[in-house]
Amino acid sequence: MSDKQFDESFRPLPVSEILTKPYRFIIPSFHRFYRWERKQVTDLLDDLFSFSAGDQASYFLQPLVVKAFGAPDNNEWEVLDGQQRLTTMLLILIKFISRMGDDDKEEYQDSLYKIKYSIRPNLDFSNPDPKKTIDGFYLAEAKNTIDRWFDAKRKAHADLDGIKKCLFHPDASQQVKFIWYEISPDSNELSSINVFNRLNKGKIGLTSSELIKALFVLDLENDGDPDNTASGQLVMEWNEMERKFQDDNFWYFISNEDRTVQTRIDLLFDFLTQKDNGEDSDYSYRLFQNLFDYCNAAKGANVVLNPYWVNTKVDSMKTVWRQIKKTFNSLVAWYEDNMFYHYVGFLVNEKSSPLSIFNSLQEAKALAARNDSSHEWTRDDSEKTLKGLIREKFKASNAYLTREGINKLEYSDSERVRRVLLLFNIELCIKTGSQRFSFDCFKKEKWDIEHVDSQNDSDLQKPEDRILWLRNILMILQMEQCKTSLLEECSLLIQEFDTQIEGERSFSNELYSSLYKKVNQYFSFDSAAGDSSIDQVDISNKNKDSINNLTLLNSDINRSYKDAPFPYKRYFIIQQDQEGGHFIPIGTRNLFLKYYSSSKNSSSSLDLMRWNEADKESYLEFIHSIVDHIIDPQ
């Protein structure tokens, strides 16, 4: 389309003029859904409010690019660009009308423009249902944002009549206007979709996948789809795939990226086209555009098919659509299978792409066929291959991590400790089958490598942290009816603190440090030593940084109990697990429940409140029993 065509058909169109006669705007099937979020809606409202309070004559909205639809005199227009702002403006107009008197309300409701969809279900813009469709969800969010904005202005006694005049009164000195671009129905352009693609490519809001979708719909148009049956089927299948990618559980299983829901399905086309990290963001779109041009070129036109399509034996949009659905179904099959879900999820978390995992499986399958043509590839073969890929993640300086190497891991080697503990947890999920590891929580939240037994002699410095720690310890001692002088010492320190003047409260560092050490000794030493020997127990030479004293824990939980000893951590973890407010990995939960401790070492109920050397040994041995067959299978 030439610039001249745009210049000839350009004109500012006040919103008030659109309300003088019923306009009907048709949203074509290739358009993306309505996607404006709270900030965009609020920004537009704030702009309108500022404009109405100023002295400028015009406020210009983005271009509204349209083409006449149907009979010339029916005032119907196909929207090629501008759907997002056109829809938001309709919601704002509906809000103003709802505040009018009955006479004005009836007049403007009759002249209000309509928005219809060529394939997707039409929406109730006055009362959008967020549960029925994705369009409805975003529409309802936008409507709620507008309602909250109006409520805030009402409470601030702001005058909104200025905006109302700018929108509804044709004779107002200030007007809000669309920039109206009308595409001639007789244009030599191949289709509205081509115009749509050229207008939108490069805009922040439009993704490669949305442009690829437009190419598929256009291909069906060119193939003859008079009643939109094939287009409707494709759009329905597309929407089902997109909904799956919008599910955080599915998305964070196959990706580490924090993408918006609108761009997630791009991964599917990057997977199919085998896009590597060195390619730019338009790589997949350019490949599909090449295939489309090749399939739809005029006879005799010189369009060379990209070698990728030649090598993969794709020569039509229909063929590649079948491949897209097959690829999507393969990803869903991985997600739904417990073994694939956990092993692929682990590998993705460790920066392997789904494409590289898929290619490794295909290469292993091909190698097995070359070595034994009669061998039929099985799920067990896939599991073995995935375990081999996982083992590679524990390789450093051309050497694999061994059982002895695991024993020597410490807190300072946080990356390998984290990797071992993650594998420990996901392998437990596979073996028990009772819980899936939540990759979405693991990637959306912050996680720590936590010391099970307290790390420092006296880490807390702030008085408020120290008093919280003391109260927590006193609670645990009272709950468990522990027969120890620590009860009295804790109570005396708390009383001393509570009687001090507000703002000047503090502790004797000597008293607090002494009690802190005694508490940690009490909850760390072996029961065989006896309570009477507390002051003689030396835990300073015990390595608290060893992997047998480390676990994976959500950072919020870790920071909320302020370096407490094992019994309070145990109490707090159990409480959090019962409430379900945080994802607690199965390995971490079982550790604090002392599932890994040998029963012969538990001679009293007090042992449940302690984390001692025997517990550490049992925990480490259990880690070996779970991960060694993958990390060190020899």
Side-chain angles (χ1 to χ4, degrees):
M1 176 173 307
S2 69
D3 290 339
K4 184 178 179 182
Q5 281 177 292
F6 272 117
D7 292 339
E8 290 174 351
S9 58
F10 166 82
R11 66 185 177 100
L13 179 66
V15 173
S16 58
E17 184 179 331
I18 297 179
L19 300 178
T20 58
K21 58 180 179 178
Y23 277 73
R24 285 168 53 87
F25 293 104
I26 311 300
I27 309 300
S29 59
F30 51 79
H31 257 288
R32 56 188 169 135
F33 293 150
Y34 178 72
R35 282 294 183 272
W36 266 27
E37 298 183 352
R38 181 179 302 175
K39 184 179 186 305
Q40 293 160 299
V41 175
T42 303
D43 285 348
L44 176 57
L45 287 165
D46 288 342
D47 282 351
L48 295 176
F49 184 75
S50 298
F51 164 69
S52 67
D55 55 6
Q56 291 184 337
S58 299
Y59 176 86
F60 289 100
L61 301 166
Q62 75 178 55
L64 186 58
V65 184
V66 297
K67 187 169 77 172
F69 186 86
D73 57 351
N74 64 3
N75 207 29
E76 288 189 330
W77 303 91
E78 183 182 43
V79 178
L80 304 184
D81 192 31
Q83 176 207 180
Q84 304 293 318
R85 201 164 297 242
L86 183 69
T87 302
T88 308
M89 182 52 67
L90 178 59
L91 295 176
I92 294 172
L93 293 171
I94 290 173
K95 179 64 178 181
F96 269 109
I97 292 171
S98 71
R99 294 156 49 92
M100 294 178 180
D102 290 341
D103 292 341
D104 288 341
K105 185 179 295 186
E106 185 176 348
E107 176 189 347
Y108 284 114
Q109 279 179 338
D110 291 341
S111 61
L112 197 61
Y113 63 83
K114 304 293 191 295
I115 295 178
K116 303 291 184 182
Y117 299 93
S118 62
I119 290 180
R120 304 202 300 273
N122 288 315
L123 299 170
D124 182 350
F125 290 88
S126 297
N127 296 289
D129 187 341
K131 298 179 180 179
K132 282 189 176 181
T133 63
I134 300 172
D135 274 319
F137 171 81
Y138 279 95
L139 207 63
E141 286 291 299
K143 180 181 180 298
N144 291 337
T145 299
I146 293 168
D147 289 343
R148 287 192 293 268
W149 188 88
F150 270 78
D151 288 343
K153 292 298 182 186
R154 177 181 55 79
K155 290 177 182 177
H157 305 291
D159 184 4
L160 300 181
D161 283 344
I163 302 180
K164 180 180 174 182
K165 290 177 182 177
C166 296
L167 296 175
F168 289 91
H169 298 172
D171 56 350
S173 59
Q174 291 181 299
Q175 294 287 324
V176 177
K177 303 173 182 178
F178 283 103
I179 300 174
W180 180 271
Y181 280 116
E182 185 179 332
I183 306 300
S184 170
D186 301 324
S187 169
N188 291 327
E189 295 294 337
L190 182 61
S191 161
S192 301
I193 299 177
N194 277 355
V195 177
F196 171 78
N197 281 6
R198 270 212 299 279
L199 287 170
N200 284 282
K201 190 57 194 161
K203 283 189 179 180
I204 294 173
L206 200 66
T207 67
S208 290
S209 58
E210 289 167 330
L211 295 172
I212 290 169
K213 176 183 177 182
L215 294 175
F216 279 109
V217 175
L218 176 56
D219 182 70
L220 291 172
E221 271 190 14
N222 294 340
D223 224 17
D225 186 22
D227 56 359
N228 285 332
T229 302
S231 297
Q233 178 67 24
L234 183 141
V235 170
M236 182 182 70
E237 292 171 348
W238 184 288
N239 292 347
E240 287 300 316
M241 291 189 291
E242 192 170 44
R243 268 193 287 272
K244 192 67 176 178
F245 279 96
Q246 290 167 349
D247 179 354
D248 280 355
N249 292 315
F250 178 73
W251 172 249
Y252 286 105
F253 148 65
I254 55 168
S255 177
N256 299 326
E257 296 181 49
D258 184 21
R259 290 193 194 180
T260 61
V261 293
Q262 297 98 315
T263 63
R264 290 180 180 181
I265 197 173
D266 287 1
L267 181 143
L268 177 61
F269 303 102
D270 294 345
F271 187 115
L272 182 81
T273 59
Q274 302 210 0
K275 174 189 169 186
D276 60 40
N277 293 332
E279 300 291 350
D280 63 79
S281 59
D282 287 339
Y283 173 78
S284 298
Y285 169 67
R286 286 200 306 274
L287 271 183
F288 277 93
Q289 183 71 60
N290 167 256
L291 178 61
F292 173 83
D293 291 342
Y294 175 82
C295 297
N296 290 277
K299 190 173 183 180
N302 186 22
V303 178
V304 179
L305 190 62
N306 187 289
Y308 172 78
W309 299 122
V310 176
N311 295 336
T312 54
K313 299 179 180 178
V314 171
D315 59 0
S316 73
M317 298 295 285
K318 292 182 180 61
T319 303
V320 78
W321 180 245
R322 287 194 292 270
Q323 288 196 4
I324 289 169
K325 292 194 290 184
K326 183 178 179 181
T327 302
F328 171 74
N329 289 335
S330 296
L331 292 175
V332 173
W334 280 0
Y335 174 72
E336 292 177 347
D337 183 284
N338 201 42
M339 181 271 292
F340 275 98
Y341 170 81
H342 285 100
Y343 287 159
V344 171
F346 175 87
L347 289 166
V348 169
N349 187 77
E350 299 306 311
K351 298 182 172 55
S352 291
S353 68
L355 177 61
S356 68
I357 299 168
F358 176 80
N359 287 340
S360 295
L361 288 168
Q362 293 300 105
E363 290 166 8
K365 185 176 180 179
L367 179 62
R370 287 197 298 271
N371 293 337
D372 182 3
S373 59
S374 64
H375 177 74
E376 184 175 345
W377 188 261
T378 65
R379 186 176 179 278
D380 289 341
D381 293 321
S382 293
E383 181 176 351
K384 182 179 178 181
T385 302
L386 291 172
K387 287 180 177 178
L389 294 175
I390 291 172
R391 189 177 179 225
E392 290 291 325
K393 294 296 180 181
F394 292 92
K395 190 175 184 180
S397 303
N398 297 318
Y400 291 100
L401 187 63
T402 62
R403 178 184 175 91
E404 291 73 21
I406 293 174
N407 292 341
K408 295 176 182 177
L409 286 177
E410 295 191 354
Y411 184 82
S412 58
D413 192 1
S414 58
E415 189 59 30
R416 288 208 294 175
V417 170
R418 182 198 58 78
R419 195 171 289 147
V420 169
L421 293 177
L422 176 59
L423 180 62
F424 171 61
N425 276 282
I426 71 161
E427 187 68 13
L428 271 178
C429 289
I430 293 174
K431 287 184 177 298
T432 62
S434 60
Q435 176 181 328
R436 276 193 151 199
F437 189 84
S438 181
F439 289 106
D440 61 322
C441 291
F442 191 67
K443 293 175 184 180
K444 290 190 292 185
E445 300 169 2
K446 291 183 178 180
W447 291 77
D448 291 334
I449 298 171
E450 161 69 340
H451 289 81
V452 183
D453 194 14
S454 298
Q455 177 190 15
N456 302 313
D457 288 340
S458 184
D459 188 52
L460 305 179
Q461 300 301 321
K462 295 180 180 179
E464 59 267 26
D465 290 340
R466 290 182 171 187
I467 192 66
L468 176 61
W469 180 85
L470 278 167
R471 294 188 196 282
N472 290 339
I473 298 308
L474 184 63
M475 180 190 72
I476 291 297
L477 291 170
Q478 291 171 337
M479 281 175 55
E480 300 301 322
Q481 299 181 342
C482 299
K483 307 300 182 183
T484 171
S485 61
L486 294 177
L487 266 169
E488 183 178 357
E489 290 189 55
C490 281
S491 297
L492 289 174
L493 262 183
I494 291 171
Q495 288 173 23
E496 176 190 332
F497 184 83
D498 287 344
T499 57
Q500 292 174 3
I501 298 174
E502 189 80 29
E504 297 182 7
R505 292 176 172 178
S506 63
F507 287 97
S508 161
N509 283 335
E510 183 178 346
L511 287 176
Y512 172 77
S513 297
S514 173
L515 179 59
Y516 187 100
K517 185 176 181 180
K518 288 180 182 180
V519 166
N520 281 290
Q521 287 174 340
Y522 181 76
F523 289 117
S524 299
F525 84 110
D526 294 321
S527 59
D531 285 7
S532 62
S533 62
I534 260 189
D535 292 330
Q536 287 73 46
V537 175
D538 181 14
I539 61 171
S540 61
N541 62 351
K542 296 177 181 178
N543 184 4
K544 293 188 177 184
D545 280 343
S546 176
I547 192 172
N548 63 9
N549 190 45
L550 303 173
T551 190
L552 276 180
L553 195 61
N554 177 287
S555 298
D556 289 341
I557 296 178
N558 187 17
R559 282 152 176 69
S560 58
Y561 48 51
K562 298 293 183 184
D563 203 30
F566 178 78
Y568 186 73
K569 292 178 181 178
R570 180 178 185 273
Y571 162 79
F572 194 83
I573 292 295
I574 292 173
Q575 186 182 52
Q576 290 293 314
D577 191 44
Q578 289 174 339
E579 293 175 358
H582 289 283
F583 166 60
I584 300 174
I586 184 173
T588 299
R589 183 192 66 196
N590 289 352
L591 179 152
F592 283 101
L593 292 175
K594 298 197 76 167
Y595 282 6
Y596 311 132
S597 300
S598 173
S599 59
K600 66 182 180 182
N601 295 327
S602 299
S603 56
S604 71
S605 60
L606 181 56
D607 285 308
L608 288 175
M609 309 304 295
R610 289 171 167 162
W611 184 253
N612 54 42
E613 291 304 301
D615 295 321
K616 293 178 183 178
E617 291 174 11
S618 297
Y619 174 47
L620 181 58
E621 200 53 45
F622 197 82
I623 290 176
H624 282 303
S625 72
I626 297 299
V627 305
D628 279 3
H629 74 105
I630 299 177
I631 297 177
D632 186 14
Q634 302 300 326

